[in-house]
Amino acid sequence: MSPPVFLAETAGLEGERVVLDGPEGRHAATVKRLRPGERVDLTDGAGLLAECVVVTADRSSLTLDVLARERRPAPEPRLVVVQALPKGERGELAVETMTEAGVDEIVPWAAARCVTQWRPERREKALGRWRSAAREAAKQARRSRLPEVAELATTDRVAGRLAAASAALVLHEEAEGPLSAVRPPATGEIIAVVGPEGGITEEELAAFAAAGARTVRLGPTVLRTSTAGVAALSVLMAATGRW
Protein backbone atom coordinates (compact mmCIF):
# COMPACT_ATOMS: atom_id res chain seq x y z
CA MET A 1 0.00 0.00 0.00
CA SER A 2 1.26 3.47 -0.85
CA PRO A 3 2.23 5.65 2.11
CA PRO A 4 -0.17 8.46 3.07
CA VAL A 5 0.48 11.94 1.70
CA PHE A 6 0.43 15.17 3.69
CA LEU A 7 1.01 18.77 2.70
CA ALA A 8 3.96 20.78 3.99
CA GLU A 9 5.64 24.10 3.19
CA THR A 10 8.33 23.98 0.51
CA ALA A 11 11.00 25.43 2.80
CA GLY A 12 10.27 22.79 5.42
CA LEU A 13 10.99 19.98 2.96
CA GLU A 14 14.50 21.12 2.13
CA GLY A 15 16.20 19.79 5.28
CA GLU A 16 16.96 16.25 6.35
CA ARG A 17 14.44 16.35 9.20
CA VAL A 18 10.90 17.72 9.01
CA VAL A 19 8.37 18.63 11.69
CA LEU A 20 4.80 18.21 10.47
CA ASP A 21 2.49 20.21 12.72
CA GLY A 22 -0.65 22.33 12.39
CA PRO A 23 -3.80 20.74 10.91
CA GLU A 24 -1.79 18.30 8.79
CA GLY A 25 0.29 17.17 11.78
CA ARG A 26 -2.77 16.73 13.99
CA HIS A 27 -4.52 14.70 11.30
CA ALA A 28 -1.47 12.48 10.82
CA ALA A 29 -0.95 11.95 14.55
CA THR A 30 -4.51 11.67 15.88
CA VAL A 31 -6.60 10.46 12.94
CA LYS A 32 -4.10 8.35 11.00
CA ARG A 33 -2.31 7.45 14.25
CA LEU A 34 1.06 7.24 12.54
CA ARG A 35 3.86 5.91 14.70
CA PRO A 36 7.69 5.81 14.58
CA GLY A 37 9.02 3.68 11.77
CA GLU A 38 6.05 4.22 9.44
CA ARG A 39 6.50 5.69 5.97
CA VAL A 40 4.96 9.03 4.99
CA ASP A 41 5.20 11.16 1.86
CA LEU A 42 5.20 14.94 2.18
CA THR A 43 4.55 17.32 -0.69
CA ASP A 44 4.31 21.05 -1.17
CA GLY A 45 1.50 20.53 -3.70
CA ALA A 46 3.67 21.98 -6.48
CA GLY A 47 5.61 18.87 -7.48
CA LEU A 48 8.15 18.55 -4.65
CA LEU A 49 7.82 15.15 -2.97
CA ALA A 50 9.78 14.01 0.08
CA GLU A 51 9.77 10.34 1.07
CA CYS A 52 9.96 10.24 4.85
CA VAL A 53 9.87 7.96 7.86
CA VAL A 54 8.35 8.91 11.22
CA VAL A 55 10.90 9.39 14.00
CA THR A 56 8.63 10.63 16.79
CA ALA A 57 4.90 11.29 17.16
CA ASP A 58 2.88 13.17 19.73
CA ARG A 59 -0.77 14.28 19.85
CA SER A 60 -0.40 17.13 17.38
CA SER A 61 2.73 16.63 15.29
CA LEU A 62 5.20 14.25 13.71
CA THR A 63 8.95 14.48 13.38
CA LEU A 64 10.21 12.77 10.24
CA ASP A 65 13.50 11.99 8.55
CA VAL A 66 13.71 12.57 4.81
CA LEU A 67 14.81 9.45 2.93
CA ALA A 68 14.61 10.81 -0.61
CA ARG A 69 13.42 13.93 -2.37
CA GLU A 70 12.36 14.65 -5.94
CA ARG A 71 10.79 17.45 -7.96
CA ARG A 72 8.22 16.00 -10.35
CA PRO A 73 7.63 18.04 -13.51
CA ALA A 74 4.19 19.29 -14.45
CA PRO A 75 2.49 16.82 -16.80
CA GLU A 76 1.92 17.63 -20.47
CA PRO A 77 -0.44 18.49 -21.95
CA ARG A 78 -2.23 20.45 -19.24
CA LEU A 79 -5.85 19.33 -18.82
CA VAL A 80 -8.46 21.87 -17.72
CA VAL A 81 -12.17 21.30 -17.12
CA VAL A 82 -14.60 24.21 -17.12
CA GLN A 83 -17.36 22.96 -14.81
CA ALA A 84 -20.79 24.58 -14.80
CA LEU A 85 -22.05 24.87 -11.22
CA PRO A 86 -23.98 21.70 -10.23
CA LYS A 87 -26.73 21.53 -7.63
CA GLY A 88 -25.99 21.01 -3.96
CA GLU A 89 -23.00 18.91 -3.03
CA ARG A 90 -22.54 17.58 -6.56
CA GLY A 91 -20.03 20.35 -7.16
CA GLU A 92 -17.67 18.95 -4.55
CA LEU A 93 -18.28 15.44 -5.96
CA ALA A 94 -17.24 16.62 -9.42
CA VAL A 95 -14.11 18.26 -8.01
CA GLU A 96 -13.16 15.15 -6.03
CA THR A 97 -13.52 12.70 -8.90
CA MET A 98 -11.75 14.93 -11.44
CA THR A 99 -8.91 15.49 -8.97
CA GLU A 100 -8.55 11.76 -8.47
CA ALA A 101 -8.42 11.30 -12.25
CA GLY A 102 -5.61 13.86 -12.58
CA VAL A 103 -7.15 17.16 -13.70
CA ASP A 104 -4.73 20.10 -13.60
CA GLU A 105 -7.25 22.92 -13.24
CA ILE A 106 -10.98 23.23 -12.61
CA VAL A 107 -12.75 26.43 -13.62
CA PRO A 108 -16.17 26.94 -11.99
CA TRP A 109 -18.53 28.48 -14.54
CA ALA A 110 -21.69 30.48 -13.90
CA ALA A 111 -23.58 29.24 -16.96
CA ALA A 112 -26.94 30.81 -17.83
CA ARG A 113 -28.94 27.67 -17.00
CA CYS A 114 -27.20 26.76 -13.77
CA VAL A 115 -29.76 26.03 -11.08
CA THR A 116 -27.15 26.94 -8.50
CA GLN A 117 -25.65 30.42 -8.55
CA TRP A 118 -22.90 31.63 -6.23
CA ARG A 119 -24.20 34.90 -4.85
CA PRO A 120 -21.46 37.47 -4.19
CA GLU A 121 -21.79 37.23 -0.41
CA ARG A 122 -21.34 33.43 -0.48
CA ARG A 123 -18.94 33.06 -3.38
CA GLU A 124 -15.75 32.78 -1.34
CA LYS A 125 -17.26 30.17 0.95
CA ALA A 126 -18.45 28.06 -2.00
CA LEU A 127 -15.10 28.40 -3.74
CA GLY A 128 -13.38 27.41 -0.49
CA ARG A 129 -15.40 24.18 -0.39
CA TRP A 130 -14.28 23.31 -3.93
CA ARG A 131 -10.65 24.03 -3.09
CA SER A 132 -10.85 22.00 0.10
CA ALA A 133 -12.38 19.09 -1.83
CA ALA A 134 -9.55 19.29 -4.39
CA ARG A 135 -6.89 19.38 -1.67
CA GLU A 136 -8.24 16.37 0.21
CA ALA A 137 -8.85 14.35 -2.95
CA ALA A 138 -5.32 15.08 -4.16
CA LYS A 139 -3.90 13.73 -0.91
CA GLN A 140 -6.10 10.65 -1.13
CA ALA A 141 -4.94 10.09 -4.72
CA ARG A 142 -1.26 10.46 -3.66
CA ARG A 143 -0.72 13.44 -5.94
CA SER A 144 2.37 15.60 -5.62
CA ARG A 145 0.65 18.49 -7.43
CA LEU A 146 -2.63 19.97 -6.29
CA PRO A 147 -5.04 20.98 -9.06
CA GLU A 148 -5.82 24.64 -9.31
CA VAL A 149 -9.42 25.70 -8.67
CA ALA A 150 -9.82 29.03 -10.44
CA GLU A 151 -12.08 31.93 -9.57
CA LEU A 152 -15.70 31.77 -10.72
CA ALA A 153 -15.78 32.50 -14.46
CA THR A 154 -18.34 34.20 -16.65
CA THR A 155 -19.11 32.97 -20.15
CA ASP A 156 -16.94 35.72 -21.61
CA ARG A 157 -14.03 34.68 -19.41
CA VAL A 158 -14.46 31.05 -20.44
CA ALA A 159 -14.48 32.07 -24.12
CA GLY A 160 -11.22 33.92 -23.58
CA ARG A 161 -9.63 30.83 -22.06
CA LEU A 162 -10.85 28.69 -24.96
CA ALA A 163 -9.40 31.08 -27.52
CA ALA A 164 -5.94 30.76 -25.94
CA ALA A 165 -6.03 26.95 -25.56
CA SER A 166 -4.17 24.44 -27.71
CA ALA A 167 -7.42 22.49 -27.97
CA ALA A 168 -10.88 23.66 -26.88
CA LEU A 169 -13.75 21.17 -26.55
CA VAL A 170 -17.37 21.61 -25.51
CA LEU A 171 -19.30 18.53 -24.40
CA HIS A 172 -22.71 18.45 -26.09
CA GLU A 173 -25.11 15.56 -26.62
CA GLU A 174 -26.02 16.75 -30.13
CA ALA A 175 -22.45 16.99 -31.40
CA GLU A 176 -21.66 14.90 -34.47
CA GLY A 177 -18.22 13.67 -33.47
CA PRO A 178 -17.24 11.73 -30.36
CA LEU A 179 -14.58 12.89 -27.93
CA SER A 180 -12.77 9.60 -28.50
CA ALA A 181 -12.07 10.65 -32.12
CA VAL A 182 -10.20 13.80 -31.06
CA ARG A 183 -6.43 13.70 -31.54
CA PRO A 184 -5.18 15.94 -28.75
CA PRO A 185 -1.99 17.98 -28.93
CA ALA A 186 1.04 16.67 -27.06
CA THR A 187 1.74 20.00 -25.34
CA GLY A 188 -0.06 23.14 -24.28
CA GLU A 189 -3.46 23.32 -22.67
CA ILE A 190 -6.56 21.27 -23.46
CA ILE A 191 -9.83 22.66 -22.13
CA ALA A 192 -13.11 20.73 -21.91
CA VAL A 193 -16.35 22.55 -21.08
CA VAL A 194 -19.07 20.77 -19.10
CA GLY A 195 -22.49 22.41 -19.23
CA PRO A 196 -25.17 22.67 -16.52
CA GLU A 197 -28.18 20.43 -15.89
CA GLY A 198 -30.32 22.62 -18.14
CA GLY A 199 -27.84 22.49 -21.00
CA ILE A 200 -25.66 25.07 -22.71
CA THR A 201 -27.59 27.88 -24.39
CA GLU A 202 -27.32 28.69 -28.09
CA GLU A 203 -25.69 32.01 -27.18
CA GLU A 204 -23.04 30.26 -25.09
CA LEU A 205 -22.38 27.72 -27.83
CA ALA A 206 -21.99 30.54 -30.35
CA ALA A 207 -19.54 32.39 -28.08
CA PHE A 208 -17.45 29.25 -27.62
CA ALA A 209 -17.51 28.42 -31.34
CA ALA A 210 -16.34 31.96 -32.12
CA ALA A 211 -13.43 31.34 -29.73
CA GLY A 212 -12.42 28.28 -31.74
CA ALA A 213 -14.00 25.51 -29.66
CA ARG A 214 -15.52 22.39 -31.20
CA THR A 215 -18.45 20.42 -29.80
CA VAL A 216 -18.00 16.71 -29.03
CA ARG A 217 -20.14 14.03 -27.44
CA LEU A 218 -19.14 11.43 -24.89
CA GLY A 219 -21.41 8.62 -26.04
CA PRO A 220 -25.05 7.58 -26.57
CA THR A 221 -26.15 8.49 -23.04
CA VAL A 222 -26.46 11.86 -21.32
CA LEU A 223 -24.38 12.14 -18.17
CA ARG A 224 -25.00 14.37 -15.19
CA THR A 225 -22.96 17.55 -15.11
CA SER A 226 -21.21 16.25 -12.00
CA THR A 227 -20.00 13.08 -13.75
CA ALA A 228 -19.45 14.25 -17.33
CA GLY A 229 -16.20 15.99 -16.43
CA VAL A 230 -14.46 12.93 -15.02
CA ALA A 231 -15.69 10.83 -17.97
CA ALA A 232 -14.26 13.33 -20.47
CA LEU A 233 -11.07 13.64 -18.48
CA SER A 234 -10.62 9.86 -18.55
CA VAL A 235 -10.87 9.81 -22.34
CA LEU A 236 -8.36 12.66 -22.63
CA MET A 237 -5.97 11.07 -20.13
CA ALA A 238 -5.85 7.94 -22.25
CA ALA A 239 -5.63 9.81 -25.57
CA THR A 240 -2.71 11.98 -24.40
CA GLY A 241 -0.79 9.07 -22.92
CA ARG A 242 -0.95 10.47 -19.40
CA TRP A 243 -2.68 7.23 -18.44
Side-chain angles (χ1 to χ4, degrees):
M1 182 176 177
S2 301
V5 173
F6 295 93
L7 294 171
E9 295 294 330
T10 303
L13 298 180
E14 295 175 350
E16 298 307 312
R17 178 160 287 191
V18 181
V19 175
L20 183 67
D21 53 14
E24 292 289 281
R26 284 192 295 273
H27 183 74
T30 62
V31 178
K32 293 294 186 180
R33 298 184 179 182
L34 295 171
R35 294 297 178 259
E38 293 190 83
R39 277 272 291 107
V40 175
D41 284 347
L42 301 181
T43 179
D44 63 353
L48 178 60
L49 183 73
E51 299 176 4
C52 304
V53 62
V54 179
V55 178
T56 63
D58 58 30
R59 297 180 61 180
S60 61
S61 67
L62 300 179
T63 301
L64 310 101
D65 279 346
V66 177
L67 305 176
R69 185 185 296 107
E70 67 173 316
R71 170 71 68 178
R72 296 179 176 176
E76 285 280 354
R78 191 168 188 268
L79 299 179
V80 179
V81 175
V82 173
Q83 174 67 60
L85 303 179
K87 293 184 293 185
E89 296 180 355
R90 289 189 176 275
E92 286 94 314
L93 173 63
V95 170
E96 288 174 2
T97 55
M98 288 191 288
T99 297
E100 291 169 7
V103 72
D104 298 302
E105 183 181 356
I106 300 168
V107 181
W109 170 38
R113 290 177 178 164
C114 283
V115 175
T116 296
Q117 294 291 341
W118 290 354
R119 297 191 299 272
E121 66 273 16
R122 303 188 64 181
R123 184 173 300 170
E124 288 304 313
K125 184 176 181 180
L127 188 60
R129 288 197 299 268
W130 280 36
R131 287 173 173 165
S132 177
R135 182 173 61 252
E136 295 307 312
K139 290 162 57 180
Q140 180 68 33
R142 313 297 200 264
R143 290 183 56 165
S144 62
R145 286 183 177 272
L146 300 185
E148 179 183 352
V149 178
E151 296 289 333
L152 181 66
T154 62
T155 296
D156 286 345
R157 180 70 63 84
V158 172
R161 289 289 302 267
L162 295 176
S166 299
L169 308 165
V170 179
L171 304 184
H172 197 277
E173 66 269 21
E174 296 179 3
E176 294 183 2
L179 176 59
S180 59
V182 172
R183 295 296 175 261
T187 60
E189 188 169 84
I190 301 172
I191 302 180
V193 178
V194 178
E197 287 91 344
I200 302 175
T201 67
E202 292 299 322
E203 292 78 11
E204 290 166 339
L205 285 173
F208 297 159
R214 60 185 287 194
T215 56
V216 292
R217 55 182 167 78
L218 282 172
T221 59
V222 178
L223 279 68
R224 286 181 178 271
T225 185
S226 55
T227 54
V230 71
L233 189 65
S234 300
V235 174
L236 291 170
M237 281 285 183
T240 58
R242 286 183 52 175
W243 276 9

